[in-house]
């Protein structure tokens, strides 16, 4: 699997050795068309696990595509997920907040959209070197919240990893709902994820009898794993990012048996 050196390069915003392709892919759900990318290394023939990657609230951007390339390497097939729909591409934080808010407002629809994307990833097994029996999800900020709701929905995936994601939901998991293992990577100084939200989430997952881990990184705020984040409350923190990507690697090594 991916070396810790490659993950360290990713945390610094540096391109790793492998150069995966990013192929546009579209799908329809609930009368809406979505445009994402299927990302994988064509130079390697071995079947590999598949990951849904849900980006932050800016949605599918060039930066998100590049991050998907770096994460995919020659280890994963990644579907970069569009949660907003064709043509909805926020140009700034205000537009992103409105777009994300609209998705958050209907959690059943959110779960429908991310599960539809999971179906798209599964169906790519004949087109990409994907082992469709080994699937997971990762998400950043808004995307972290989405993959947690994927797990809450009972999706048949091995595990999900949330990087500095919102932990709250209007449809909490009940006992037996969550099949996936969860790894939640959080900035200890993240003002967007207060202690009460953390405690509520941990109780929810414990009551649901889920397999979960929660990691707090000291000195890190929201967006700590995003190399281009540079505002006071949403700031890249290289030490936390390096540790978080290494934790993700270890988690999926365990879940996928590598």
């Amino acid at each position: 699997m991916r070396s810790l050196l490659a993950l360290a390069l990713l945390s610094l915003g540096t391109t790793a050795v492998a150069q995966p392709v990013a192929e546009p892919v579209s799908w329809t759900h609930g009368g809406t068309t979505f445009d994402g990318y299927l990302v994988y290394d064509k130079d390697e023939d071995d079947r590999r696990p598949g990951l849904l990657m849900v980006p932050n609230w800016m949605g599918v951007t060039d930066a998100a595509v590049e991050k998907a390339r770096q994460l995919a390497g020659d280890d994963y097939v990644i579907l970069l997920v569009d949660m907003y729909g064709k043509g909805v591409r926020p140009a700034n934080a205000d537009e992103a907040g409105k777009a994300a808010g609209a998705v958050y407002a209907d959690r059943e629809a959110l779960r429908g959209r991310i599960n539809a994307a999971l179906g798209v990833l599964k169906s790519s097994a004949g087109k990409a070197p994907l082992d469709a029996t080994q699937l997971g999800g990762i998400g950043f900020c808004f995307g972290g919240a989405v993959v947690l709701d994927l797990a809450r929905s009972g999706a048949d995936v091995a595990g999900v990893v949330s990087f500095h994601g919102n932990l709250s939901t209007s449809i909490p998991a009940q006992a037996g709902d969550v099949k996936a293992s969860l790894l939640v990577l959080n900035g200890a100084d993240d003002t967007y994820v207060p202690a009460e939200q953390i405690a509520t989430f941990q109780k929810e997952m414990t009551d649901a009898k889920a397999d979960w881990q929660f990691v707090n990184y000291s000195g890190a705020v929201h967006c700590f794993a995003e190399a281009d984040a540079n505002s006071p409350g949403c700031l890249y923190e290289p030490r936390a990012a390096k540790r978080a990507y290494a934790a993700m690697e270890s988690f999926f090594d365990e879940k996928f048996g590598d």
Side-chain angles (χ1 to χ4, degrees), residues 92-123:
N92 51 53
D94 182 60
E95 291 182 7
K98 291 176 181 177
V103 174
Y104 279 144
D106 188 339
R107 288 287 175 147
E108 290 289 3
L110 181 158
R111 294 181 180 191
R113 289 184 177 190
I114 190 59
N115 275 281
L118 179 61
V120 173
L121 177 60
K122 288 180 180 178
S123 70

Side-chain angles (χ1 to χ4, degrees), residues 47-50 122 125 130-136 156-158 255-256:
R47 291 195 306 161
R48 65 209 71 162
K122 288 180 180 178
L130 170 69
D131 180 351
T133 69
Q134 295 190 314
L135 301 173
D156 187 15
V157 296
K255 300 312 301 179
F256 297 142

Side-chain angles (χ1 to χ4, degrees), residues 90-190:
N92 51 53
D94 182 60
E95 291 182 7
K98 291 176 181 177
V103 174
Y104 279 144
D106 188 339
R107 288 287 175 147
E108 290 289 3
L110 181 158
R111 294 181 180 191
R113 289 184 177 190
I114 190 59
N115 275 281
L118 179 61
V120 173
L121 177 60
K122 288 180 180 178
S123 70
S124 72
K127 310 164 193 173
L130 170 69
D131 180 351
T133 69
Q134 295 190 314
L135 301 173
I138 60 174
F140 299 85
C141 299
F142 163 75
V146 171
V147 297
L148 291 179
D149 260 20
L150 174 69
R152 288 178 172 114
S153 76
D156 187 15
V157 296
V160 302
V161 180
S162 169
F163 290 82
H164 39 76
N166 187 291
L167 308 178
S168 64
T169 184
S170 59
I171 314 175
Q174 303 300 310
D177 285 352
V178 182
K179 298 180 178 69
S181 298
L182 295 89
L183 175 60
V184 179
L185 306 172
N186 186 68
D189 298 336
D190 189 342

Side-chain angles (χ1 to χ4, degrees), residues 23-83:
E23 299 176 341
V25 57
S26 297
W27 62 95
T28 301
H29 172 76
T32 300
T33 299
F34 300 89
D35 292 332
Y37 287 89
L38 191 65
V39 182
Y40 61 97
D41 184 359
K42 277 189 170 180
D43 294 333
E44 296 289 334
D45 295 328
D46 293 343
R47 291 195 306 161
R48 65 209 71 162
L51 298 178
L52 297 174
M53 176 180 152
V54 187
N56 62 36
W57 69 353
M58 296 303 294
V60 177
T61 62
D62 290 344
V65 173
E66 180 56 30
K67 177 172 285 193
R69 288 181 191 270
Q70 293 171 339
L71 281 169
D74 58 6
D75 296 324
Y76 304 111
V77 173
I78 289 182
L79 177 64
L80 179 60
V81 179
D82 174 14
M83 286 294 294

